[in-house]
């Protein structure tokens, strides 16, 4: 077509889509683009731009979440462009959700610019989404996506029933063991499925990561230590705090197989524990439940009391003024160029203060001199109160189960009697959110009950405490120990700074806090 004739044509936009990244390499886009241009010329339009909706699932992603569709809206509605038509290949290239393109693209454009026309390369005349043929095409595209999704899930379910790990490599710390040699495997039409076993070297690194975390070392500190030790990360590169966090949060190391972990195919956001599925005791664990709980208890303690694990103020958040009932503020009052450090804990109300080193010496000497007695006392407290804690958690869990059952019954009633519900209400969304919250709470309750059932293992940790020398601990370790042991230390400034110490249910601090949170509800 000559440039003169081309200038007489009206401007239009084309929209093309591929479902998978691998399709970007084949002729799918080229085929759609060529067909769109040919059809546009026949209708008297010039395609000024073809927007490519690349490697996006039109079933899992609504149009408003797809960049090309948002660009289509913006360019068509903009006063800077005089777009008079939109061309596409066929309905499945627009959406596989049956309704979203019509509601969020077509209706919006027609409302703002009713003169804009839509054309499909496979149908004569102007395209109308409310035409019976268009509706059938959208429905067929949606049905095909559902079938493909169901087939994939069924295939994965079959693999899971065989206790195999589907569709992904083994996590760091594990490897696949094969009975056949690589040469023998290459000769087979179908490769042998390897057996997942513990990979001793990386598994020891996983153990070290959990052990260091249980003593309060931050993810950044652990990553730096591994990098300084020249230990390669799972990807063969340097360690990051994100990699450490991923390992610490992976149920696979407990011997369970996490499944359906991501909130959707199009986001990396992980579901919360209790929302995704777990196949329990699927394989040999690397981490014991006790070490897992101790590591996550330490992480939570530092989150609640400030993330600076390596602070010199070991007692920050634990010291209180008995008279004012105020937490003492940790403050560095060292003047510039001073050779001596002036670090204090100060009451924000009465302004009384303690030298940091003085109070640290008192507390650490108290622990050291009465260490074995303290451990015995803690153990007696655990044995005395653990049954009471368990009873309260069981009652709370049963309440959650009853609430979850009530919601399920409501869903069944609504599904059978939809006429009794206002169609404009968000009942399905509200019930879904409620179920998710209850499932998370139920998972948490069951986790703490599991922790309590392993109380004997937990008490053995006191033997580890008994062997250690407090003077040999690093800052993060001392702070973690104090946060684990002490609930509160009251300082009486009016009576010669006498101390009143409240101990926690160590080493089961998390259980104690959880029971406190239940009682507040």
């Amino acid at each position: 077509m000559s440039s003169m004739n081309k200038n007489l044509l009206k401007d239009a936009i084309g929209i093309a889509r591929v479902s998978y990244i691998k399709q970007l390499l084949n002729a799918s886009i080229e085929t759609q683009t060529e067909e769109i241009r040919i059809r546009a010329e026949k209708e008297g339009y010039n395609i000024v731009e073809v927007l490519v909706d690349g490697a996006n699932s039109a079933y899992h992603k609504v149009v408003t979440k797809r960049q090309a569709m948002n660009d289509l809206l913006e360019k068509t509605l903009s006063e800077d462009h005089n777009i008079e038509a939109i061309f596409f290949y066929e309905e499945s290239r627009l959406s596989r959700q049956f309704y979203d393109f019509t509601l969020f693209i077509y209706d919006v454009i027609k409302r703002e610019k009713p003169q804009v026309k839509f054309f499909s390369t496979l149908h004569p005349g102007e395209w109308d989404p409310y035409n019976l043929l268009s509706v059938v095409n959208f429905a067929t595209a949606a049905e095909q996506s559902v079938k493909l999704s169901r087939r994939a899930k069924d295939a994965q379910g079959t693999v899971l029933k065989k206790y195999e790990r589907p569709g992904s490599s083994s996590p760091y710390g594990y490897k696949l063991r094969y009975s056949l040699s690589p040469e023998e495997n290459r000769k087979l039409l179908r490769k042998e499925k390897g057996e997942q076993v513990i990979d001793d070297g990386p598994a020891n690194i996983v153990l070290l990561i959990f052990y260091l975390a249980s003593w309060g070392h931050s993810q950044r500190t652990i990553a730096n230590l591994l990098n300084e030790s020249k230990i390669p990360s799972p990807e063969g590169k340097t360690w990051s705090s994100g990699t450490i966090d991923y390992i610490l949060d992976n149920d696979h190391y407990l011997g369970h197989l996490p499944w359906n972990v991501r909130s959707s195919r199009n986001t990396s956001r992980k579901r919360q524990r209790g929302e995704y599925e777990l196949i329990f005791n699927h394989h040999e664990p690397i981490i014991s439940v006790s070490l897992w709980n101790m590591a996550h208890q330490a992480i939570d303690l530092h989150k609640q009391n400030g993330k600076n694990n390596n602070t010199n103020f070991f007692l920050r958040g634990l010291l209180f003024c008995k008279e004012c009932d105020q937490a003492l503020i940790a403050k560095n009052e060292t003047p510039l160029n001073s050779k001596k450090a002036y670090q204090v804990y100060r009451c924000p109300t009465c302004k009384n203060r303690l030298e940091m080193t003085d109070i640290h010496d008192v507390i650490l000497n108290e622990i050291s001199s009465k260490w074995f007695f303290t451990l015995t006392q803690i153990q007696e407290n655990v044995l005395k109160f653990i049954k009471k804690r368990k009873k309260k958690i069981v009652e709370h869990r049963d309440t959650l189960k009853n609430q979850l059952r009530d919601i399920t019954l409501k869903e069944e009633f609504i599904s059978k009697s939809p006429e009794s519900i206002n169609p404009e209400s968000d009942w399905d969304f509200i019930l879904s959110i409620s179920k998710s919250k209850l499932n998370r709470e139920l998972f948490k309750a069951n986790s703490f009950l599991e922790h309590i059932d392993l109380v004997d293992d937990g008490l053995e940790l006191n033997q580890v405490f008994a062997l250690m020398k407090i003077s040999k601990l690093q800052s993060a370790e001392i702070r973690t120990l104090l946060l684990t042991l002490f609930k509160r230390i009251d300082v009486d400034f009016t009576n010669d700074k006498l101390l009143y110490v409240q101990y926690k249910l160590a080493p089961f601090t998390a259980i104690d806090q959880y029971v406190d949170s239940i009682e507040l509800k």
Side-chain angles (χ1 to χ4, degrees), residues 69-326:
M69 291 297 181
N70 287 323
D71 291 343
L72 176 65
L73 265 182
E74 181 183 349
K75 293 177 185 296
T76 306
L77 298 178
S78 171
E79 297 300 330
D80 298 331
H81 301 83
N82 188 26
I83 303 301
E84 298 189 49
I86 295 166
F87 287 81
F88 58 91
Y89 188 67
E90 46 91 12
E91 284 84 358
S92 71
R93 299 298 89 193
L94 295 177
S95 176
R96 290 179 179 267
Q97 292 210 8
F98 189 71
Y99 66 90
D100 59 344
F101 182 85
T102 302
L103 292 178
F104 304 132
I105 303 295
Y106 180 89
D107 285 353
V108 172
I109 290 175
K110 280 293 190 180
R111 186 166 57 248
E112 298 294 325
K113 290 190 173 183
Q115 75 277 12
V116 174
K117 296 181 179 181
F118 289 75
F119 295 93
S120 166
T121 64
L122 300 186
H123 306 292
E126 185 178 350
W127 179 76
D128 178 4
Y130 296 99
N131 177 279
L132 179 59
L133 180 60
S134 300
V135 173
V136 170
N137 288 337
F138 271 132
T140 302
E143 183 183 14
Q144 288 173 347
S145 287
V146 171
K147 286 181 178 179
L148 288 172
S149 176
R150 186 179 295 123
R151 284 177 195 163
K153 288 184 177 180
D154 288 347
Q156 292 167 347
T158 301
V159 173
L160 288 171
K161 287 176 182 177
K162 295 178 181 178
Y163 275 62
E164 297 172 0
R165 178 180 171 82
S168 59
S169 58
S170 295
Y172 181 74
Y174 291 92
K175 62 182 179 181
L176 294 177
R177 183 171 60 195
Y178 299 92
S179 60
L180 300 176
S181 67
E183 292 76 16
E184 292 172 323
N185 230 324
R186 278 194 289 270
K187 295 178 183 178
L188 297 177
L189 293 176
R190 186 175 182 181
K191 287 186 178 181
E192 173 192 10
K193 291 186 179 294
E195 177 192 3
Q196 181 181 262
V197 295
I198 289 177
D199 191 0
D200 290 336
N204 286 332
I205 301 302
V206 172
L207 267 170
L208 175 64
I209 289 170
F210 273 87
Y211 180 78
L212 292 173
S214 72
W215 275 103
H217 293 283
S218 69
Q219 288 89 326
R220 171 51 55 193
T221 300
I222 297 172
N224 290 341
L225 174 65
L226 294 175
N227 288 328
E228 291 167 6
S229 303
K230 308 296 183 185
I231 297 171
S233 73
E235 296 80 19
K237 302 177 183 179
T238 57
W239 291 85
S240 67
S241 56
T243 305
I244 302 298
D245 201 44
Y246 176 80
I247 288 175
L248 289 171
D249 203 34
N250 194 342
D251 299 85
H252 204 92
Y253 298 116
L254 285 169
H256 312 320
L257 178 62
W259 189 242
N260 197 23
V261 174
R262 299 297 164 193
S263 56
S264 79
R265 282 178 51 185
N266 298 295
T267 177
S268 60
R269 188 185 74 81
K270 182 180 179 181
R271 297 178 190 271
Q272 296 187 44
R273 295 192 86 212
E275 290 185 337
Y276 53 85
E277 301 167 37
L278 280 178
I279 299 177
F280 292 94
N281 305 316
H282 173 268
H283 52 270
E284 186 178 357
I286 293 176
I287 303 301
S288 69
V289 173
S290 295
L291 181 55
W292 172 283
N293 287 332
M294 291 294 288
H296 284 272
Q297 174 178 282
I299 291 170
D300 289 341
L301 281 173
H302 285 287
K303 282 182 179 178
Q304 295 163 14
N305 295 278
K307 291 185 177 181
N308 184 10
N309 302 23
N310 291 314
T311 178
N312 290 328
F313 291 99
F314 306 144
L315 295 170
R316 187 185 64 207
L318 294 175
L319 292 172
F320 286 77
C321 175
K322 188 174 185 296
E323 184 69 23
C324 305
D325 195 29
Q326 292 286 322

Side-chain angles (χ1 to χ4, degrees), residues 7-8 19 26 49 87 91 171 205 210 225 247 260 299 314 316 375 385 399-400 417 447 449 469 471:
N7 290 334
L8 296 176
S19 301
N26 64 25
E49 184 177 4
F87 287 81
E91 284 84 358
I205 301 302
F210 273 87
L225 174 65
I247 288 175
N260 197 23
I299 291 170
F314 306 144
R316 187 185 64 207
L375 290 174
F385 294 113
T399 300
L400 294 173
S417 307
S447 297
L449 289 174
K469 301 290 185 182
S471 59

Side-chain angles (χ1 to χ4, degrees), residues 323 352 491-497:
E323 184 69 23
N352 281 310
V491 182
D492 188 347
F493 288 102
T494 60
N495 292 308
D496 200 22
K497 301 177 184 177

